[in-house]
Amino acid sequence: SSGKYIQYTGPNSYKSVKPEDEISYTFKISTPGIYNVRWFMRQPDDAEGDKSNDAWVKMEGNVGLFGDHPFKDYTKFVGRSKAIFGMNGKLEAHHEFAKLACNFKEAGEYTIRIAGRSELLQIDKLVFYRNNISEEDAIYRASEITETTSCSDDLVSLK
């Protein structure tokens, strides 16, 4: 976060992932288990309805779960929030929605990949939290981090 956010400024890419619009992040998991994944995202003020609210997401290493079912390829990750960065996010495939979770069977490094899907989506951070923590508690704990609530409009554009 560092008080800034990323914004996808490329064209809408609803049908497929464009490799040039992909970013990745590798992180360490020290305690194995199932983790829920949410993001702090925001739609621009002038985005209508469900515009500028989704990205493609993929977990490397076959750890991604669409609800309780594994998924290996890019899947649409969607949320809605205006004016503030809201912590939310659900996977959507074929008009079915499910939580994004990961089954980290062992401690180690893992990589998440995100690719642009809808232009002008703003992302502040991704949050991974153990499934024994309630979503309300995770939102409360994550929102206590000042960068999230004070994220400036000095952005980093991807594209």
Side-chain angles (χ1 to χ4, degrees), residues 29-139:
I29 292 292
S30 56
T31 304
I34 296 179
Y35 286 70
N36 295 309
V37 184
R38 302 295 181 270
W39 60 3
F40 277 89
M41 60 78 64
R42 180 174 72 180
Q43 299 163 270
D45 291 337
D46 57 347
E48 300 174 19
D50 68 352
K51 303 284 185 189
S52 303
N53 70 333
D54 53 41
W56 295 106
V57 66
K58 175 182 178 180
M59 293 300 306
E60 293 294 327
N62 300 324
V63 298
L65 297 173
F66 185 97
D68 296 325
H69 305 288
F71 77 97
K72 297 179 182 179
D73 207 356
Y74 275 102
T75 303
K76 177 181 173 181
F77 192 51
V78 61
R80 286 195 184 172
S81 184
K82 295 271 192 132
I84 63 165
F85 282 90
M87 187 172 133
N88 58 50
K90 293 258 185 201
L91 291 172
E92 180 187 359
H94 311 294
H95 305 290
E96 301 269 338
F97 290 88
K99 68 179 181 176
L100 170 56
C102 295
N103 186 5
F104 300 117
K105 294 180 180 177
E106 56 189 49
E109 289 191 349
Y110 294 90
T111 299
I112 185 169
R113 297 188 180 280
I114 299 173
R117 188 172 190 283
S118 62
E119 69 176 335
L120 305 179
L121 167 68
Q122 301 169 358
I123 303 170
D124 179 33
K125 69 177 63 170
L126 295 167
V127 178
F128 290 75
Y129 62 96
R130 297 279 311 266
N131 69 342
N132 63 345
I133 297 173
S134 73
E135 186 158 344
E136 293 78 19
D137 195 30
I139 290 170

